[in-house]
Amino acid sequence: MHNRPSVTGLLESWESVFRQGLLTFWTFVVLDREASDVTMIRHGVERMSGGTYRPSEQVLYRQLRRHADVGLVDRRQEPTRHGPPRNLFSLSELGVTVLESFAARNILPFAAAEVQAIIERGAK
């Protein structure tokens, strides 16, 4: 008799790989709405993912640095009343184009009737 992994174990394994790319998507969606600091981005990602993704600020900073290095994200500093200036991040024009292209290629197919039926079955 084979010892088969549980549904939960299989799902968690699949999601761990899927989430790596998903963090970029949710971050870009947050930044598409408005320039945000890391705390705002973290809260936006948590809210839009229904609480299923709670990235640390350190992970977000690393990710934002990588995206800034390739021109997808812009960073500017904004003075504060107390303490150091805060970093505000926004999508660059290239970042907006990449987000829109990604959504058209990878998110729009989720609107297909077959996929919607699976989503509805899973929500029950």
Side-chain angles (χ1 to χ4, degrees):
M1 179 186 236
H2 296 295
N3 198 7
R4 298 169 87 183
S6 68
V7 170
T8 301
L10 291 168
L11 186 58
E12 287 174 358
S13 176
W14 184 6
E15 285 176 339
S16 71
V17 173
F18 182 72
R19 286 174 182 250
Q20 293 172 19
L22 195 56
L23 177 58
T24 296
F25 175 73
W26 287 125
T27 299
F28 282 18
V29 170
V30 170
L31 295 178
D32 186 56
R33 298 183 74 191
E34 65 180 316
S36 302
D37 64 19
V38 171
T39 300
M40 293 166 60
I41 294 168
R42 184 173 54 83
H43 290 301
V45 168
E46 286 179 20
R47 181 179 45 78
M48 286 190 287
S49 71
T52 61
Y53 203 93
R54 294 183 173 101
S56 70
E57 290 188 5
Q58 184 179 18
V59 166
L60 286 170
Y61 271 118
R62 277 195 308 266
Q63 177 199 56
L64 290 163
R65 241 181 274 122
R66 282 193 313 270
H67 295 316
D69 288 347
V70 296
L72 296 170
V73 170
D74 293 326
R75 179 183 70 103
R76 69 175 162 57
Q77 291 191 322
E78 180 179 86
T80 60
R81 289 182 184 227
H82 308 287
R86 74 179 185 156
N87 291 309
L88 285 179
F89 299 91
S90 59
L91 282 184
S92 65
E93 283 186 43
L94 177 60
V96 170
T97 300
V98 168
L99 174 62
E100 290 170 348
S101 297
F102 178 86
R105 286 172 52 164
N106 298 285
I107 304 300
L108 186 59
F110 283 91
E114 298 88 353
V115 176
Q116 290 300 308
I118 294 167
I119 291 170
E120 289 171 16
R121 282 195 329 249
K124 291 181 181 179

